[in-house]
Amino acid sequence: MRTVFTIILAMTLSPSLAGTIPVCSGGDRAAREVTCVVDGDTGWERGVKWRALNVDTPEISQPECAAEKRLGLQARDRLQQLMAGGYRIEWTGGRGRYGRELANVILSDGRDAGQVLIKEGLSQPWPNEGNRWCRKRAAAVQPMART
């Protein structure tokens, strides 16, 4: 019985243990208290919209070029994959310029998901020099192999 309670408690505390974190869809996410991923640096956790601290991933919804959209989708999908292995949200208590709660996504192995995306070439540190994804050399930018 204790094992069953532990599993139920773990699923309650970490929604990722219950399955893959979905890509966000539909409106009124706060009222529905959804947990989902918007892109590589933004998501919702139980109805609270968060922005990963100190990272910047390529845009999906309004990319400046095709390379940015392609890499943005890869970053989102990789974040989904990383979070599916278990995670916790560390709320910083701050808000970003669009009102999102600033947070760190800490994976079950202790790594920061944003730093993993940077290491793999799917993100860049924030603040930064701007959209590196659409510079002429961006077409040659390829994500690094995952470790």
Side-chain angles (χ1 to χ4, degrees), residues 55-107:
V55 297
D56 180 32
T57 60
E59 296 299 323
I60 295 172
S61 63
Q62 296 181 334
E64 293 179 18
C65 65
E68 182 177 20
K69 175 126 186 184
R70 179 178 50 80
L71 289 169
L73 292 169
Q74 289 177 16
R76 181 202 64 200
D77 295 348
R78 179 62 172 143
L79 179 61
Q80 241 186 326
Q81 180 185 39
L82 290 167
M83 291 173 73
Y87 71 95
R88 73 180 186 280
I89 301 290
E90 285 186 353
W91 304 103
T92 67
R95 287 185 181 263
R97 80 174 119 166
Y98 299 112
R100 297 170 291 189
E101 297 285 337
L102 297 176
N104 293 303
V105 179
I106 306 301
L107 304 173

Side-chain angles (χ1 to χ4, degrees), residues 12-128:
T12 301
L13 294 176
S14 180
S16 65
L17 294 176
T20 301
I21 306 301
V23 171
C24 295
S25 64
D28 211 6
R29 294 178 188 144
R32 292 186 296 133
E33 297 184 355
V34 299
T35 294
C36 57
V37 173
V38 174
D39 59 26
D41 59 25
T42 307
W44 289 79
E45 182 70 21
R46 298 183 183 174
V48 176
K49 192 171 188 179
W50 54 264
R51 168 72 162 79
L53 189 64
N54 300 323
V55 297
D56 180 32
T57 60
E59 296 299 323
I60 295 172
S61 63
Q62 296 181 334
E64 293 179 18
C65 65
E68 182 177 20
K69 175 126 186 184
R70 179 178 50 80
L71 289 169
L73 292 169
Q74 289 177 16
R76 181 202 64 200
D77 295 348
R78 179 62 172 143
L79 179 61
Q80 241 186 326
Q81 180 185 39
L82 290 167
M83 291 173 73
Y87 71 95
R88 73 180 186 280
I89 301 290
E90 285 186 353
W91 304 103
T92 67
R95 287 185 181 263
R97 80 174 119 166
Y98 299 112
R100 297 170 291 189
E101 297 285 337
L102 297 176
N104 293 303
V105 179
I106 306 301
L107 304 173
S108 61
D109 63 7
R111 294 180 299 163
D112 180 293
Q115 296 306 308
V116 172
L117 293 177
I118 289 172
K119 182 178 178 187
E120 293 178 357
L122 294 170
S123 184
Q124 63 181 340
W126 178 261
N128 55 53

